[in-house]
Amino acid sequence: MSQPSIQLIRGFKDILPGETELWQHIERTAIDLFEDFGYREIRIPIMEKTDLFARSIGEDTDIVEKEMYTFTDRGKDLLTLRPEATASICRSYIQHKMYAQDPVRKFYTIGPMFRRERPQKGRYRQFYQIDAEIFGVAAPYADVELIFLLRTLFDRLAVTDTTAHVNSLGCPVCRPRFKEALSKLLDAAAPTLCSDCLRRKDRNPLRVLDCKVPGCREAMQGAPSIIDYLCDDCHTHFATVTDMLTKLGVPFEVDKQLVRGLDYYTRTAFEIQTGALGAQSAVAGGGRYDGLVGSLGGPEIPAIGFAIGFDRLSEIVAATSPVAVRPPQLFIAALGEPARAKAFQWATALGIAGVGVAMEYGEKSLKAQMKQANRQGAGQVLIVGESELQAGKAVLRNMADKSQREIPIEGIVEKLIQTLH
Ligand code: HAM
């Protein structure tokens, strides 16, 4: 009796050939854009000490309280699979003193993140992000550049059904006044709040604004918006961001309700939302986090960034402009071992010369091999068997117009490269 097969973990998924072409296309488009704007790739580990995420994302957030994959390793360290990339990039920036020579750094990274959320369409437990961060720029240019890059990337990928939502979350100067106003409302609404929000309301009242429980949402209907409490500096910063976005022709909406699910944000926060994904409307999110580098033990250096939900973006692009799989230019149909051995040599030589080539490695009839070539969408088929080897000529068949011609085996690789390039 064979064993039952093992299935993948709930909320995890395979990205299969047929999908990976699209993922690569998105990745290349993003990387080209980032590199044109001076962003450099950084690769950070998939695991960090749990403290890093608890201190940056915030103890009272859903991510840290409920969603992290945390475990004690054999050396008894408390470790967590990264739920996002920003905290790790900050850790790396500080640890390698990247600020010493020039605090202004632009990074991008692409890779898997892990959050133990309830899986549904567009929401996975292992998902991928395309992340970009700018360190060392306090000026609103950085905010505008990042939102502009998101818009440009989405345009290049022909993703149109999106809106940029922007808000300002203020700074340590203006937040206390806002928290005071919010706390008054929260005290009055206490009987209708969920148990999480009851706990959070005194420790971290802003988090209640991000709660998805219907009762809490209803209680927060008339809640004050932080944007109405901004200090002069935050107000000017936000006005400049919106003004520059308008001048650049980037469409956006000011969304007073936008709070984001992570604690580290200050000032500008933004999300790209779409109607194309059902309940999971955010295809990208980001914002400024001017206090984070300092609070993680580095110097006081402002920073801002975003992360795109790669899975969500790929689902939108797949529905609108699927990427075609590149078929082989040439299929070699060899008959008999001597011909197959020759064909294998030619195939390797053609492959390294950049010709897309495929062949059958076992003994199969010509009919079966022609079917295979057809299924793979090969442009041409080279037919070679015992008699062709003896005659010193193989047959090249054009699969589109079904025409055939003989081609000398002497110098065949060079000839095929010329014909197929
Ligand atoms: P976030 O809003 O938590 O921000 O995630 C960014 C994007 O990742 C979301 O808009 C969504 O598209 C995608 N995403 C999040 N969770 C899932 C999931 N379970 N399944 C599929 N996609 C998901 C951050 O992570 C911040 N680090 C962004 C940032 C960078 N802020 C500053 N710099």
Side-chain angles (χ1 to χ4, degrees):
M1 271 295 274
S2 65
Q3 300 281 325
S5 67
I6 295 170
Q7 307 288 303
L8 50 62
I9 309 165
R10 187 166 128 82
F12 287 58
K13 69 185 162 111
D14 300 313
I15 303 158
L16 302 175
E19 295 170 281
T20 47
E21 291 80 4
L22 181 70
W23 282 64
Q24 288 175 359
H25 165 65
I26 295 174
E27 208 166 283
R28 277 191 216 112
T29 312
I31 291 175
D32 281 351
L33 182 64
F34 290 148
E35 303 223 328
D36 286 347
F37 277 79
Y39 293 70
R40 309 270 308 274
E41 188 184 12
I42 183 166
R43 298 192 188 196
I44 60 245
I46 232 149
M47 251 195 266
E48 297 272 3
K49 294 190 178 148
T50 303
D51 254 4
L52 174 67
F53 300 118
R55 275 171 58 187
S56 50
I57 299 169
E59 300 273 7
D60 306 305
T61 57
D62 277 353
I63 298 178
V64 172
E65 272 186 349
K66 303 176 191 169
E67 296 169 0
M68 296 204 305
Y69 283 93
T70 296
F71 66 99
T72 313
D73 82 348
R74 288 170 199 271
K76 304 273 180 276
D77 286 325
L78 198 57
L79 304 179
T80 294
L81 288 180
R82 61 182 188 193
E84 59 117 45
T86 311
S88 305
I89 298 177
C90 283
R91 197 250 328 119
S92 177
Y93 179 80
I94 298 165
Q95 183 168 347
H96 302 288
K97 296 196 172 47
M98 288 193 236
Y99 48 81
Q101 217 180 9
D102 181 359
V104 179
R105 300 284 177 134
K106 295 177 172 188
F107 302 111
Y108 70 88
T109 197
I110 301 176
M113 311 293 155
F114 304 85
R115 294 183 195 175
R116 201 174 184 290
E117 295 189 80
R118 196 166 51 78
Q120 55 173 245
K121 184 176 158 51
R123 191 161 73 195
Y124 309 99
R125 290 179 170 177
Q126 175 175 333
F127 61 97
Y128 291 75
Q129 285 187 341
I130 301 173
D131 185 284
E133 315 283 349
I134 304 180
F135 286 82
V137 181
Y141 291 116
D143 316 35
V144 175
E145 177 173 306
L146 287 168
I147 299 169
F148 175 76
L149 284 185
L150 280 170
R151 178 73 267 151
T152 306
L153 178 61
F154 285 32
D155 281 348
R156 288 188 181 175
L157 294 168
V159 172
T160 47
D161 178 20
T162 57
T163 323
H165 289 237
V166 297
N167 194 17
S168 176
L169 301 180
C171 70
V173 175
C174 38
R175 255 192 217 161
R177 268 197 326 127
F178 169 69
K179 278 190 182 162
E180 210 176 290
L182 183 61
S183 292
K184 277 195 193 129
L185 180 94
L186 291 177
D187 286 339
T192 58
L193 297 179
C194 72
S195 55
D196 282 340
C197 285
L198 267 184
R199 190 166 27 80
R200 290 167 177 173
K201 103 178 160 47
D202 299 316
R203 285 167 56 106
N204 195 345
L206 250 86
R207 285 272 63 90
V208 182
L209 294 172
D210 189 42
C211 183
K212 306 286 179 294
V213 175
C216 299
R217 287 201 149 187
E218 210 170 297
M220 290 301 100
Q221 284 285 317
S225 299
I226 188 154
I227 202 168
D228 298 323
Y229 289 78
L230 297 184
C231 62
D232 286 349
D233 285 350
C234 286
H235 181 79
T236 308
H237 186 97
F238 191 63
T240 315
V241 169
T242 53
D243 192 42
M244 285 200 276
L245 285 173
T246 308
K247 286 199 179 113
L248 274 178
V250 177
F252 66 92
E253 270 173 30
V254 174
D255 181 350
K256 288 181 165 195
Q257 310 298 325
L258 183 76
V259 284
R260 310 270 304 124
L262 304 94
D263 270 355
Y264 50 60
Y265 290 115
T266 52
R267 294 199 167 167
T268 315
F270 51 91
E271 262 178 26
I272 308 294
Q273 297 183 4
T274 171
L277 287 171
Q280 300 313 313
S281 59
V283 68
R288 221 171 231 292
Y289 48 95
D290 289 345
L292 186 56
V293 175
S295 78
L296 289 175
E300 287 301 328
I301 288 178
I304 176 163
F306 68 66
I308 300 170
F310 200 158
D311 312 70
R312 293 183 189 176
L313 181 59
S314 79
E315 280 166 31
I316 300 173
V317 179
T320 50
S321 42
V323 170
V325 177
R326 191 168 66 116
Q329 290 164 279
L330 180 75
F331 185 97
I332 311 182
L335 296 155
E337 191 51 40
R340 197 156 40 248
K342 279 271 177 233
F344 184 69
Q345 278 183 5
W346 301 340
T348 51
L350 289 167
I352 57 168
V355 173
V357 60
M359 67 174 281
E360 165 56 48
Y361 302 109
E363 186 60 43
K364 280 203 182 146
S365 71
L366 183 59
K367 196 171 160 208
Q369 295 197 51
M370 291 309 287
K371 263 195 180 166
Q372 209 170 318
N374 215 4
R375 210 172 38 237
Q376 294 183 14
Q380 314 250 356
V381 179
L382 184 74
I383 302 162
V384 57
E386 201 71 32
S387 52
E388 282 78 13
L389 281 187
Q390 263 167 25
K393 286 175 192 154
V395 174
L396 188 63
R397 181 176 167 88
N398 183 316
M399 297 296 274
D401 62 16
K402 311 275 184 270
S403 62
Q404 291 196 167
R405 64 188 167 99
E406 287 187 332
I407 161 165
I409 285 177
E410 176 87 32
I412 194 168
V413 170
E414 289 68 32
K415 185 91 183 110
L416 286 168
I417 292 172
Q418 268 174 20
T419 315
L420 294 165
H421 259 319

